[in-house]
Protein backbone atom coordinates (compact mmCIF):
# COMPACT_ATOMS: atom_id res chain seq x y z
CA UNK A 1 0.00 0.00 0.00
CA UNK A 2 1.36 3.38 -1.01
CA UNK A 3 1.01 5.89 1.82
CA UNK A 4 0.11 9.41 0.64
CA UNK A 5 1.68 12.08 2.86
CA UNK A 6 0.06 15.30 4.04
CA UNK A 7 1.99 18.55 3.52
CA UNK A 8 2.94 18.35 7.20
CA UNK A 9 4.43 14.89 6.72
CA UNK A 10 6.25 15.98 3.57
CA UNK A 11 7.78 18.81 5.63
CA UNK A 12 9.01 16.29 8.20
CA UNK A 13 10.56 14.10 5.50
CA UNK A 14 12.09 17.24 3.95
CA UNK A 15 13.79 18.00 7.26
CA UNK A 16 15.16 14.44 7.62
CA UNK A 17 16.34 14.46 4.01
CA UNK A 18 18.02 17.83 4.50
CA UNK A 19 20.17 16.23 7.19
CA UNK A 20 21.33 13.63 4.67
CA UNK A 21 22.21 16.37 2.17
CA UNK A 22 24.12 18.15 4.92
CA UNK A 23 26.20 14.99 5.46
CA UNK A 24 27.26 15.07 1.80
CA UNK A 25 28.20 18.73 2.15
CA UNK A 26 30.22 18.18 5.35
CA UNK A 27 31.71 14.74 4.75
CA UNK A 28 32.24 14.97 0.96
CA UNK A 29 35.30 17.21 1.42
CA UNK A 30 36.82 14.68 3.87
CA UNK A 31 36.95 12.00 1.19
CA UNK A 32 40.59 11.72 0.17
CA UNK A 33 43.33 9.15 -0.28
CA UNK A 34 44.48 7.72 3.06
CA UNK A 35 41.25 8.06 5.04
CA UNK A 36 39.32 5.02 6.18
CA UNK A 37 35.68 4.36 5.44
CA UNK A 38 35.14 4.08 9.21
CA UNK A 39 36.38 7.65 9.62
CA UNK A 40 33.77 8.82 7.08
CA UNK A 41 31.13 6.79 8.94
CA UNK A 42 31.98 8.47 12.23
CA UNK A 43 32.04 11.97 10.74
CA UNK A 44 28.69 11.34 9.06
CA UNK A 45 27.20 10.09 12.30
CA UNK A 46 28.35 13.25 14.10
CA UNK A 47 26.63 15.44 11.52
CA UNK A 48 23.42 13.41 11.75
CA UNK A 49 23.30 13.45 15.55
CA UNK A 50 24.30 17.11 15.60
CA UNK A 51 21.07 17.85 13.75
CA UNK A 52 18.98 16.01 16.32
CA UNK A 53 18.55 13.06 14.00
CA UNK A 54 19.42 9.37 14.20
CA UNK A 55 21.41 7.33 11.65
CA UNK A 56 18.54 5.10 10.51
CA UNK A 57 20.78 2.45 8.98
CA UNK A 58 22.48 1.61 12.30
CA UNK A 59 20.86 -1.64 13.46
CA UNK A 60 18.50 -1.78 10.47
CA UNK A 61 18.00 -5.55 10.08
CA UNK A 62 21.21 -5.74 12.11
CA UNK A 63 23.25 -3.49 9.79
CA UNK A 64 26.36 -2.67 11.87
CA UNK A 65 27.16 0.94 10.84
CA UNK A 66 25.65 4.39 10.41
CA UNK A 67 26.24 4.70 6.67
CA UNK A 68 26.96 2.47 3.71
CA UNK A 69 30.38 3.19 2.18
CA UNK A 70 30.77 1.24 -1.05
CA UNK A 71 34.06 1.39 -2.96
CA UNK A 72 34.61 0.68 -6.69
CA UNK A 73 33.10 -2.74 -7.52
CA UNK A 74 31.01 -2.64 -4.33
CA UNK A 75 27.60 -1.42 -5.44
CA UNK A 76 25.72 -1.50 -2.12
CA UNK A 77 25.94 -1.88 1.65
CA UNK A 78 29.70 -1.58 2.04
CA UNK A 79 30.33 -1.75 5.79
CA UNK A 80 32.68 1.01 6.93
CA UNK A 81 35.93 -0.34 8.36
CA UNK A 82 39.06 1.18 9.89
CA UNK A 83 41.02 -1.24 7.71
CA UNK A 84 39.56 0.01 4.45
CA UNK A 85 41.74 2.91 3.38
CA UNK A 86 40.76 4.95 0.32
CA UNK A 87 43.29 5.20 -2.48
CA UNK A 88 43.81 7.78 -5.18
CA UNK A 89 41.59 6.93 -8.14
CA UNK A 90 38.90 5.06 -6.16
CA UNK A 91 35.25 5.97 -6.29
CA UNK A 92 33.13 5.65 -3.16
CA UNK A 93 29.38 5.77 -2.68
CA UNK A 94 27.98 7.12 0.55
CA UNK A 95 24.39 5.92 0.98
CA UNK A 96 22.71 6.98 4.18
CA UNK A 97 19.48 7.71 5.95
CA UNK A 98 18.54 10.03 8.80
CA UNK A 99 15.47 9.76 10.99
CA UNK A 100 14.21 12.94 12.60
CA UNK A 101 10.92 13.36 14.46
CA UNK A 102 9.89 9.90 13.28
CA UNK A 103 10.43 10.47 9.55
CA UNK A 104 13.24 9.23 7.32
CA UNK A 105 15.29 10.82 4.55
CA UNK A 106 17.56 8.78 2.26
CA UNK A 107 20.11 9.69 -0.42
CA UNK A 108 23.29 8.40 -2.05
CA UNK A 109 26.14 9.90 -4.04
CA UNK A 110 29.27 8.45 -5.61
CA UNK A 111 32.34 10.58 -4.91
CA UNK A 112 35.82 10.62 -6.45
CA UNK A 113 38.85 9.88 -4.27
CA UNK A 114 41.70 12.17 -5.27
CA UNK A 115 42.32 12.18 -9.02
CA UNK A 116 40.13 9.65 -10.80
CA UNK A 117 40.29 8.30 -14.33
CA UNK A 118 37.80 8.85 -17.14
CA UNK A 119 36.37 5.40 -16.55
CA UNK A 120 35.54 6.29 -12.94
CA UNK A 121 34.17 9.74 -13.81
CA UNK A 122 31.94 8.22 -16.47
CA UNK A 123 30.33 5.93 -13.88
CA UNK A 124 29.62 8.87 -11.57
CA UNK A 125 28.10 10.82 -14.46
CA UNK A 126 25.90 7.96 -15.70
CA UNK A 127 24.25 7.43 -12.30
CA UNK A 128 23.51 11.15 -12.02
CA UNK A 129 22.19 11.33 -15.56
CA UNK A 130 19.96 8.31 -14.96
CA UNK A 131 18.53 10.02 -11.89
CA UNK A 132 17.99 13.31 -13.73
CA UNK A 133 16.35 11.66 -16.74
CA UNK A 134 14.06 9.63 -14.49
CA UNK A 135 13.06 12.37 -12.07
CA UNK A 136 12.25 14.71 -14.96
CA UNK A 137 9.29 12.42 -15.76
CA UNK A 138 7.80 12.61 -12.27
CA UNK A 139 4.35 14.17 -11.97
CA UNK A 140 0.88 12.97 -11.00
CA UNK A 141 -0.64 10.53 -13.45
CA UNK A 142 2.66 9.10 -14.72
CA UNK A 143 3.21 5.36 -14.49
CA UNK A 144 5.96 4.29 -12.13
CA UNK A 145 7.18 1.92 -14.85
CA UNK A 146 8.09 4.94 -16.99
CA UNK A 147 10.53 6.09 -14.29
CA UNK A 148 12.05 2.63 -13.95
CA UNK A 149 12.33 2.24 -17.71
CA UNK A 150 14.15 5.56 -18.04
CA UNK A 151 16.79 4.47 -15.51
CA UNK A 152 17.35 1.24 -17.43
CA UNK A 153 17.52 3.00 -20.81
CA UNK A 154 20.07 5.50 -19.55
CA UNK A 155 22.29 2.72 -18.22
CA UNK A 156 21.95 0.75 -21.48
CA UNK A 157 22.80 3.79 -23.59
CA UNK A 158 26.29 3.57 -22.09
CA UNK A 159 26.57 -0.21 -22.24
CA UNK A 160 26.02 -0.43 -18.49
CA UNK A 161 23.61 -2.57 -16.44
CA UNK A 162 21.38 -2.21 -13.40
CA UNK A 163 20.90 -4.69 -10.56
CA UNK A 164 17.80 -6.90 -10.63
CA UNK A 165 17.32 -7.43 -6.90
CA UNK A 166 17.89 -4.00 -5.34
CA UNK A 167 15.45 -1.17 -5.88
CA UNK A 168 14.36 2.32 -4.99
CA UNK A 169 11.34 2.64 -2.72
CA UNK A 170 8.73 4.76 -1.04
CA UNK A 171 9.80 6.43 2.21
CA UNK A 172 8.14 8.00 5.22
CA UNK A 173 7.92 6.73 8.75
CA UNK A 174 9.84 3.73 7.41
CA UNK A 175 13.01 3.74 5.33
CA UNK A 176 11.41 1.37 2.85
CA UNK A 177 7.74 1.55 1.90
CA UNK A 178 5.69 0.80 -1.17
CA UNK A 179 6.09 1.35 -4.02
CA UNK A 180 9.28 -0.52 -4.90
CA UNK A 181 11.10 1.25 -7.71
CA UNK A 182 13.38 -1.05 -9.69
CA UNK A 183 16.10 0.36 -11.94
CA UNK A 184 14.38 -1.33 -14.89
CA UNK A 185 10.81 -1.56 -16.08
CA UNK A 186 8.24 -1.24 -18.78
CA UNK A 187 6.58 1.99 -19.82
CA UNK A 188 2.87 2.29 -19.09
CA UNK A 189 2.98 -0.26 -16.24
CA UNK A 190 2.84 -0.06 -12.47
CA UNK A 191 1.05 2.32 -10.13
CA UNK A 192 0.28 5.91 -11.13
CA UNK A 193 2.15 8.64 -9.29
CA UNK A 194 0.02 10.87 -7.06
CA UNK A 195 0.59 14.14 -5.26
CA UNK A 196 1.85 13.43 -1.74
CA UNK A 197 3.84 10.32 -2.59
CA UNK A 198 7.38 10.42 -1.22
CA UNK A 199 9.81 8.17 -3.03
CA UNK A 200 13.49 7.41 -3.39
CA UNK A 201 14.65 7.15 -6.99
CA UNK A 202 18.07 5.53 -6.91
CA UNK A 203 19.83 4.49 -10.08
CA UNK A 204 22.48 1.89 -9.28
CA UNK A 205 24.80 1.35 -12.21
CA UNK A 206 27.08 -1.58 -13.04
CA UNK A 207 29.80 -0.93 -15.58
CA UNK A 208 29.31 -4.20 -17.44
CA UNK A 209 27.21 -7.20 -16.41
CA UNK A 210 24.19 -6.99 -14.10
CA UNK A 211 25.11 -9.91 -11.83
CA UNK A 212 26.05 -9.16 -8.24
CA UNK A 213 27.08 -11.26 -5.29
CA UNK A 214 26.84 -10.77 -1.53
CA UNK A 215 30.05 -11.27 0.45
CA UNK A 216 30.30 -13.54 3.51
CA UNK A 217 29.59 -10.63 5.85
CA UNK A 218 26.00 -10.92 4.62
CA UNK A 219 25.83 -7.27 3.51
CA UNK A 220 28.46 -6.19 1.01
CA UNK A 221 27.09 -6.40 -2.54
CA UNK A 222 29.69 -6.42 -5.32
CA UNK A 223 29.68 -6.64 -9.11
CA UNK A 224 30.38 -10.29 -9.94
CA UNK A 225 32.56 -9.29 -12.89
CA UNK A 226 34.56 -6.86 -10.76
CA UNK A 227 33.52 -3.83 -12.84
CA UNK A 228 32.99 -0.39 -11.37
CA UNK A 229 29.66 0.71 -9.89
CA UNK A 230 27.93 3.98 -9.07
CA UNK A 231 24.77 5.18 -7.37
CA UNK A 232 22.76 8.39 -7.18
CA UNK A 233 19.70 8.69 -4.97
CA UNK A 234 17.41 11.41 -3.71
CA UNK A 235 14.27 11.47 -1.62
CA UNK A 236 11.61 13.29 -3.60
CA UNK A 237 7.98 14.29 -3.16
CA UNK A 238 5.42 14.17 -5.96
CA UNK A 239 3.81 17.62 -6.12
CA UNK A 240 0.64 18.81 -7.90
CA UNK A 241 2.53 19.49 -11.12
CA UNK A 242 5.84 17.66 -10.80
CA UNK A 243 8.26 16.87 -8.03
CA UNK A 244 10.37 18.38 -5.30
CA UNK A 245 13.79 17.04 -4.35
CA UNK A 246 13.76 16.84 -0.56
CA UNK A 247 17.35 15.67 0.04
CA UNK A 248 18.93 19.04 -0.64
CA UNK A 249 20.10 22.03 1.38
N1 LIG B 1 19.99 3.52 2.26
C1 LIG B 1 19.73 2.30 1.53
C2 LIG B 1 18.68 2.59 0.50
O1 LIG B 1 18.93 3.39 -0.34
C3 LIG B 1 19.39 1.17 2.44
C4 LIG B 1 20.48 0.75 3.30
S1 LIG B 1 20.02 -0.65 4.11
C5 LIG B 1 21.10 -0.79 5.39
O2 LIG B 1 17.59 2.11 0.47
F1 LIG B 1 20.75 -1.84 6.04
F2 LIG B 1 22.31 -0.87 4.91
F3 LIG B 1 21.01 0.23 6.15
CO1 LIG C 1 17.11 4.21 -0.76
Amino acid sequence: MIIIKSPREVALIREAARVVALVFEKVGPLIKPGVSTKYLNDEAEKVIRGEGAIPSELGYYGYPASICASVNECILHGIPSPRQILRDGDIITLDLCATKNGYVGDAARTFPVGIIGERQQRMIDIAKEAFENAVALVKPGVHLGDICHMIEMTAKKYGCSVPRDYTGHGIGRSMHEDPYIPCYGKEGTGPLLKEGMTICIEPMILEHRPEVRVLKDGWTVVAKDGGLTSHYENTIAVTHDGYEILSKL
Side-chain angles (χ1 to χ4, degrees):
M1 188 202 38
I2 301 177
I3 302 168
I4 301 296
K5 277 76 178 186
S6 67
R8 176 187 154 272
E9 289 180 294
V10 172
L12 289 162
I13 298 166
R14 184 185 293 113
E15 172 56 16
R18 181 194 64 80
V19 173
V20 178
L22 184 66
V23 171
F24 296 144
E25 165 131 329
K26 298 273 190 209
V27 177
L30 305 178
I31 298 174
K32 23 173 122 67
V35 309
S36 73
T37 52
K38 172 74 162 104
Y39 168 71
L40 300 176
N41 176 88
D42 294 352
E43 294 301 310
E45 178 161 350
K46 279 185 214 162
V47 174
I48 294 168
R49 294 199 190 276
E51 296 296 311
I54 289 166
S56 342
E57 292 181 350
L58 184 61
Y60 184 78
Y61 288 96
Y63 184 72
S66 295
I67 66 169
C68 296
S70 304
V71 178
N72 295 336
E73 75 284 358
C74 176
I75 184 167
L76 276 174
H77 307 161
I79 302 172
S81 160
R83 293 179 310 280
Q84 186 172 36
I85 308 297
L86 298 178
R87 289 175 311 188
D88 200 42
D90 284 343
I91 51 176
I92 177 174
T93 299
L94 303 188
D95 180 5
L96 62 130
C97 299
T99 303
K100 187 164 173 183
N101 300 314
Y103 286 83
V104 188
D106 180 6
R109 296 283 185 276
T110 303
F111 294 88
V113 180
I115 310 288
I116 57 170
E118 268 174 43
R119 199 183 139 213
Q120 284 74 13
Q121 186 62 50
R122 176 177 168 274
M123 292 302 294
I124 293 176
D125 295 344
I126 293 168
K128 183 159 192 271
E129 182 185 328
F131 173 81
E132 282 166 358
N133 291 345
V135 81
L137 302 176
V138 171
K139 61 177 181 188
V142 167
H143 282 279
L144 192 64
D146 295 6
I147 311 297
C148 303
H149 180 256
M150 180 59 89
I151 297 173
E152 182 181 17
M153 285 304 111
T154 307
K156 279 195 172 155
K157 183 168 92 183
Y158 295 102
C160 294
S161 304
V162 295
R164 303 304 292 183
D165 298 335
Y166 300 92
T167 71
H169 49 92
I171 190 164
R173 285 193 166 276
S174 305
M175 187 193 301
H176 297 134
E177 294 181 355
D178 284 341
Y180 284 82
I181 308 178
C183 295
Y184 58 90
K186 208 168 164 293
E187 286 172 293
T189 66
L192 297 176
L193 296 179
K194 274 181 68 176
E195 181 175 2
M197 286 182 182
T198 46
I199 56 177
C200 292
I201 297 178
E202 49 180 311
M204 293 163 258
I205 309 293
L206 293 135
E207 190 177 17
H208 310 296
R209 304 269 321 153
E211 293 81 10
V212 297
R213 113 188 126 79
V214 181
L215 300 189
K216 282 203 203 78
D217 61 26
W219 284 103
T220 313
V221 185
V222 300
K224 240 184 195 168
D225 64 13
L228 292 172
T229 68
S230 59
H231 190 177
Y232 195 97
E233 172 180 23
N234 281 308
T235 298
I236 71 159
V238 182
T239 61
H240 72 286
D241 63 350
Y243 64 90
E244 178 190 343
I245 294 189
L246 302 179
S247 44
K248 66 174 175 29
L249 296 178

